[in-house]
Amino acid sequence: MKTMGAKEIGIRQIHVDDGFWNKRIRNAVEKVVPYQWRVLNDREPGAEPSHAIRNFKIAAGMEEGEFYGYQFQDSDVAKWIEAASYSLIYEDSPEIRAALDEAIGIIEKAQQADGYLDTHYILKKPDRKWKEIAHGHELYCTGHMLEAAVAYRAVTGDDRLLRVMEKNVELIRSVFGSEEGKLDSYPGHEEIELALMKAYHATGEKKYLELADYFVENRGTRPAFLEEERFLELSRENRWLEADYHQAHARIRDQKTAEGHAVRAMYFYTGAADVALEKQDPTLKAALDTLWDNVTGKRMYLTGGVGSQGEGERFTIDYDLPNDTCYTETCAAIGLAMWALRMLKLDPDAKYADVMERALYNNVLSGISEDGEHYFYVNPLMLKPDVARYRKDHESVEPERVKWFGCACCPPNVIRTLCGLGGYVYTQDGDAVYQHLYVGNKAQFFTSQGEASLSCESSMPWEGNASVTYHGPSGMTLYLRVPSYAENFSVKRNGEPLKPEKEKGYVRLTPQDGDVFTVHDGTLRNGSCKV
């Protein structure tokens, strides 16, 4: 089994068709993507005002008005574009295509001549561009919009938005760097690092890799943004907003514990893992393993939730995991799943897939209602509504899911995850394919011997059975995950029991055309118990 070499199969090559996930994805595609478009356009009664599309229209000169919302309001539109793009894989809706075309057209007009694109600073603080890196979110918004551009091109083949973001990235490259006259700094809120790596993989252009590498390796150096007036002001007022809040208290190889804002940390580690894979850097991989062990062994809830404290939305200390006051933001669990997927590409070890599965089925899904139109930002494990209304340390807790938030990072993040779920199922390393999740699906991929396909039918999580059918040439290797909770995992080939080799929590198989592998995890369900 190779290490530091795997990559995911392209998103259009995987179509999820699963008894557990189908209704959630179908609802996201048919109802939630249109619902969120209405919210972003302030056309949904009862939802918190968004103003996100209108901010872009004002910046584009299409309407008059003032900026409204948080400084990262643009990112809500970006995540919606990504979700809507993925939704076209399941239903090629003319209405959603038209909405995407409209959104991208507005963004094109809002972009300034030099490539700058951030409506908060265009409309509200034009004299403060690149002067509030710690808390300004310019690079964060760029990251999400760059992810959206890559997704839109991957699904539609249209590079309009990617051209916009390429111009934006060129501006950032001219502003940031270690050369004389540039800002030698890094993002206050990580995100652009992982987005740059997506752009690099999509285009092959080294400039994206180089900028991602610079931001990852530079984090923790001083002074960077640590001498900005706004950073100093907030860190003096609130000790939870010091350098560790931004994972800027040390260089990544010197960080031994997960600190600070949980979403920032997850996005940072995700981007760093992408860079480690591309550079084939074992020291960066080792640093990430140290952080992984700390997060998943000492600072993670059984639901895959991370970030136990509401103040600063952050990590605290080992084993500080209260049930009623835990924060466990939905976005942080999504970030954990993203990081786990990158670690699987670095090193296909089932321990990463176990956590990815745990987060996706629990803390991510708890953030959205069955109808897809109500959301949790915070996901405590225990809630007493009457208590939550009166306690200061419960002020972020909603007794019931709500239609939208003023700070609405989570709702579009959940939907882009649901619509893009296929991207979490497999990774590929040459002629080896790893199946990490037993999610029903049909997938096509390419080997050195030619095109091949896998289809999976799964009754998990309700029953511990799945079947995987292979069609294609000989010479490929299939690795099927053995979940950590599997008490007596078994696998058969065409009905005949096998005892295959097991490597890092995966069974190693050499399929032939037409082979059907059936797996059973041996775990008792449906109220059964062992005595």
Side-chain angles (χ1 to χ4, degrees):
M1 182 184 290
K2 292 183 181 179
T3 60
M4 299 186 72
K7 58 184 179 181
E8 74 268 29
I9 300 171
I11 191 68
R12 291 185 65 184
Q13 297 168 245
I14 307 166
H15 191 284
V16 173
D17 184 7
D18 180 82
F20 178 83
W21 290 100
N22 275 358
K23 66 178 181 179
R24 293 166 172 83
I25 294 174
R26 188 182 308 114
N27 189 58
V29 170
E30 296 176 358
K31 296 182 179 180
V32 186
V33 169
Y35 168 81
Q36 292 195 357
W37 177 242
R38 295 195 302 273
V39 172
L40 293 172
N41 282 276
D42 302 305
R43 297 198 298 256
E44 180 61 30
E48 187 84 14
S50 168
H51 212 268
I53 293 294
R54 188 153 187 259
N55 286 337
F56 277 105
K57 287 182 176 180
I58 297 168
M62 300 168 67
E63 293 186 10
E64 294 184 357
E66 297 179 350
F67 179 88
Y68 175 88
Y70 287 85
Q71 63 267 43
F72 43 81
Q73 210 80 350
D74 291 1
S75 67
D76 296 348
V77 177
K79 281 176 276 190
W80 180 85
I81 290 173
E82 186 177 354
S85 298
Y86 294 149
S87 78
L88 298 176
I89 296 171
Y90 295 93
E91 181 180 333
D92 195 353
S93 164
E95 292 79 13
I96 296 304
R97 279 189 177 267
L100 282 164
D101 185 66
E102 179 185 352
I104 293 169
I106 296 167
I107 292 166
E108 287 175 321
K109 292 177 181 177
Q111 185 173 40
Q112 298 192 311
D114 64 353
Y116 190 84
L117 183 63
D118 188 291
T119 67
H120 177 251
Y121 285 93
I122 291 172
L123 299 176
K124 193 171 183 177
K125 295 182 176 180
D127 60 335
R128 300 296 295 169
K129 295 175 185 176
W130 311 125
K131 294 180 180 178
E132 298 176 337
I133 305 302
H135 295 282
H137 288 77
E138 289 158 292
L139 296 170
Y140 169 84
C141 289
T142 287
H144 274 302
M145 196 64 76
L146 184 56
E147 281 198 90
V150 171
Y152 183 68
R153 192 182 83 155
V155 175
T156 69
D158 188 335
D159 65 355
R160 285 172 61 204
L161 186 56
L162 189 57
R163 290 198 302 270
V164 169
M165 296 315 299
E166 182 176 21
K167 188 175 181 180
N168 186 229
V169 170
E170 285 296 339
L171 173 64
I172 292 168
R173 292 178 69 225
S174 73
V175 171
F176 289 87
S178 56
E179 301 90 341
E180 186 176 352
K182 291 186 177 183
L183 277 175
D184 195 6
S185 191
Y186 37 84
H189 193 315
E190 302 93 312
E191 214 287 338
I192 193 174
E193 300 88 346
L194 69 92
L196 287 164
M197 292 306 298
K198 282 190 175 184
Y200 170 66
H201 293 141
T203 67
E205 295 191 29
K206 288 280 189 181
K207 62 185 178 184
Y208 296 112
L209 168 61
E210 290 167 356
L211 187 57
D213 184 36
Y214 164 74
F215 282 143
V216 168
E217 295 289 3
N218 205 34
R219 181 165 294 276
T221 61
R222 293 173 180 265
F225 60 67
L226 301 175
E227 291 184 358
E228 286 182 354
E229 179 182 340
R230 183 63 173 157
F231 170 79
L232 293 172
E233 176 188 349
L234 290 177
S235 61
R236 281 194 296 264
E237 292 175 356
N238 188 337
R239 71 186 183 94
W240 306 116
L241 299 179
E242 295 177 354
D244 65 343
Y245 172 79
H246 305 271
Q247 297 75 50
H249 56 294
R251 305 288 284 272
I252 187 169
R253 290 172 184 78
D254 298 321
Q255 296 186 28
K256 307 303 179 185
T257 56
E259 304 296 339
H261 189 267
V263 179
R264 281 171 164 82
M266 295 300 100
Y267 287 178
F268 176 43
Y269 305 157
T270 299
D274 279 331
V275 170
L277 175 61
E278 197 58 42
K279 291 169 60 179
Q280 293 287 291
D281 187 336
T283 64
L284 188 50
K285 164 68 163 56
L288 289 163
D289 273 328
T290 296
L291 291 164
W292 178 270
D293 290 343
N294 177 250
V295 170
T296 61
K298 300 177 180 179
R299 301 190 177 190
M300 181 183 76
Y301 286 85
L302 80 168
T303 57
V306 292
S308 60
Q309 178 174 289
E311 184 67 31
E313 302 178 323
R314 60 175 293 150
F315 291 100
T316 55
I317 59 175
D318 292 349
Y319 307 113
D320 177 34
L321 300 167
N323 288 335
D324 57 345
T325 60
C326 71
Y327 199 75
T328 54
E329 182 181 339
T330 303
C331 285
I334 292 169
L336 178 61
M338 292 164 59
W339 181 25
L341 178 63
R342 291 350 188 258
M343 296 302 285
L344 284 164
K345 288 188 270 183
L346 275 168
D347 178 12
D349 189 318
K351 68 180 183 180
Y352 304 123
D354 286 334
V355 171
M356 182 170 72
E357 180 182 69
R358 181 185 295 262
L360 288 170
Y361 279 85
N362 293 280
N363 204 140
V364 173
L365 278 185
S366 65
I368 185 170
S369 62
E370 285 281 321
D371 68 6
E373 297 181 4
H374 298 80
Y375 308 93
F376 276 147
Y377 189 109
V378 179
N379 297 274
L381 273 67
M382 181 178 75
L383 173 64
K384 295 180 179 179
D386 291 339
V387 174
R389 292 187 181 96
Y390 288 96
R391 288 183 62 104
K392 173 67 175 175
D393 57 6
H394 284 56
E395 64 182 347
S396 298
V397 176
E398 297 285 353
E400 296 180 351
R401 294 178 180 88
V402 299
K403 288 178 71 69
W404 203 251
F405 304 98
C407 175
C409 52
C410 296
N413 213 358
V414 174
I415 296 306
R416 72 168 180 151
T417 303
L418 288 176
C419 293
L421 182 68
Y424 290 88
V425 178
Y426 301 101
T427 57
Q428 183 178 354
D429 182 9
D431 286 347
V433 172
Y434 302 83
Q435 182 163 348
H436 307 299
L437 301 176
Y438 289 106
V439 172
N441 74 91
K442 295 178 175 62
Q444 286 77 43
F445 55 97
F446 299 93
T447 74
S448 62
Q449 305 302 313
E451 188 172 350
S453 69
L454 286 169
S455 62
C456 177
E457 296 181 6
S458 176
S459 63
M460 297 185 185
W462 309 123
E463 298 176 11
N465 304 308
S467 66
V468 179
T469 302
Y470 173 77
H471 287 290
S474 302
M476 69 88 65
T477 306
L478 175 63
Y479 291 90
L480 298 179
R481 170 173 155 252
V482 181
S484 60
Y485 50 78
E487 297 176 349
N488 188 22
F489 187 87
S490 62
V491 59
K492 297 179 180 179
R493 184 204 300 260
N494 304 323
E496 295 296 322
L498 293 177
K499 291 188 177 180
E501 295 180 26
K502 185 176 174 182
E503 301 178 26
K504 291 189 175 182
Y506 291 81
V507 292
R508 183 178 184 275
L509 305 167
T510 53
Q512 304 297 313
D513 186 47
D515 276 349
V516 179
F517 298 96
T518 54
V519 301
H520 181 64
D521 68 13
T523 305
L524 295 171
R525 287 176 170 82
N526 299 324
S528 301
C529 62
K530 294 194 299 184
V531 179

